Amino acid sequence: MTTILSTKGLHKHFGGVLAVNDVDAEFKAKRLRSIIGPNGAGKTTFINVITGRLPASSGAVLFGNLNITNRPAHRLVRLGICRTFQITSIFLGLTVFENVRIAEQSRIGGSLRIFSAKENLKAVNDKTWEILHRLGLEGKANIPSNNLAHGDQRLLEVAMALAGDPKILFLDEPTAGMSPAETEHIAALIKGLTDTIAVVLVEHDMDVVMSISDEITVLNQGSIIAEGSPRAIQDNDLVKEAYLGHA
């Protein structure tokens, strides 16, 4: 199976703290890999270095055979490396449709003025409707995003990331703060994305992780302590001790 993205000996220092410590990881096409670990394990820092939000102290990030270490985030998005964040990042004054359309216009280099002539571009609107349909948001297209339930706001952020036409999508705690019903619904939609792209999930909800992951990477104190299938991770004594709290 094709490797989309990999890291080689990746380190990230914050002063005297080694937040990411010699991490080698591979992310495969059309697979969902979850990254888990206790608070402070380095999960979000690891993703921030890969996606250009933080510079690596040493090591390499490879996109296929292309070395993309420390390239700025906007250039990585152009390559197809997209992400969401722990804190929801949407345009609260715009409708659901307008949020996704503005993300699509940004990808193709169009005007960000939503009432410009670009509104008449059929390709932009068609792509926006396609994304909304994929995530079950087409029925809420005309609702101002500030009026959405929390779960739908998080889903809208995923829709905006999909407008970047990603080859690999990093999701940072997408189900945080959701009800059980919302969590189940969105977890299924996230899993469905692997029909076409690679997905990397940072998540604390172990029910979600174990139910939708193809592979799991476990970080502790910035280092990988285990990798494997959900069953292998559940049975791993190091994981039980470091993350689940018992051996």
Side-chain angles (χ1 to χ4, degrees):
M1 190 167 294
T2 304
T3 297
I4 295 292
L5 187 146
S6 61
T7 66
K8 305 294 183 183
L10 200 65
H11 292 83
K12 176 59 184 176
H13 297 266
F14 288 109
V17 177
L18 193 56
V20 176
N21 183 13
D22 195 25
V23 173
D24 293 342
E26 290 190 352
F27 304 98
K28 304 288 188 179
K30 298 183 181 181
R31 302 285 284 180
L32 192 152
R33 178 176 290 273
S34 288
I35 300 175
I36 67 171
N39 289 332
K43 302 181 297 295
T44 296
T45 299
F46 179 48
I47 298 307
N48 283 340
V49 172
I50 290 175
T51 57
R53 269 70 186 182
L54 288 173
S57 301
S58 62
V61 181
L62 304 175
F63 186 56
N65 293 321
L66 179 66
N67 190 327
I68 59 169
T69 312
N70 295 340
R71 290 198 184 187
H74 69 276
R75 292 188 179 178
L76 299 185
V77 170
R78 294 289 185 189
L79 289 174
I81 303 167
C82 300
R83 68 164 295 176
T84 65
F85 297 86
Q86 289 179 354
I87 299 174
T88 305
S89 180
I90 58 178
F91 299 106
L92 292 174
L94 303 181
T95 66
V96 169
F97 184 87
E98 289 164 347
N99 266 275
V100 179
R101 183 178 61 188
I102 204 171
E104 173 64 16
Q105 287 178 212
S106 178
R107 180 184 70 83
I108 64 174
S111 169
L112 296 183
R113 292 179 294 115
I114 63 170
F115 297 113
S116 73
K118 293 294 183 183
E119 182 172 352
N120 297 320
L121 287 179
K122 185 176 185 299
V124 171
N125 288 339
D126 286 351
K127 180 66 174 181
T128 300
W129 282 116
E130 176 187 327
I131 293 169
L132 294 179
H133 176 74
R134 185 174 188 182
L135 294 179
L137 288 171
E138 68 269 42
K140 300 175 182 178
N142 295 319
I143 297 176
S145 60
N146 55 297
N147 291 340
L148 292 175
H150 173 68
D152 284 334
Q153 287 187 347
R154 297 294 285 174
L155 200 55
L156 175 57
E157 189 179 20
V158 174
M160 293 172 69
L162 289 178
D165 199 20
K167 294 179 176 63
I168 183 168
L169 177 61
F170 292 84
L171 303 176
D172 199 348
E173 298 190 31
T175 68
M178 291 186 186
S179 69
E182 287 176 324
T183 296
E184 183 177 357
H185 172 65
I186 291 178
L189 289 172
I190 288 171
K191 179 62 174 176
L193 298 178
T194 58
D195 287 348
T196 55
I197 64 174
V199 177
V200 182
L201 178 68
V202 175
E203 182 58 66
H204 282 294
D205 189 321
M206 287 297 98
D207 288 338
V208 170
V209 168
M210 296 301 169
S211 65
I212 68 173
S213 300
D214 295 306
E215 296 92 21
I216 299 171
T217 296
V218 186
L219 289 177
N220 190 32
Q221 297 181 347
S223 298
I224 294 177
I225 62 169
E227 290 186 294
S229 68
R231 175 58 63 86
I233 295 302
Q234 285 177 316
D235 293 340
N236 187 293
D237 288 338
L238 285 175
V239 176
K240 293 176 184 177
E241 182 178 357
Y243 188 80
L244 302 176
H246 56 85

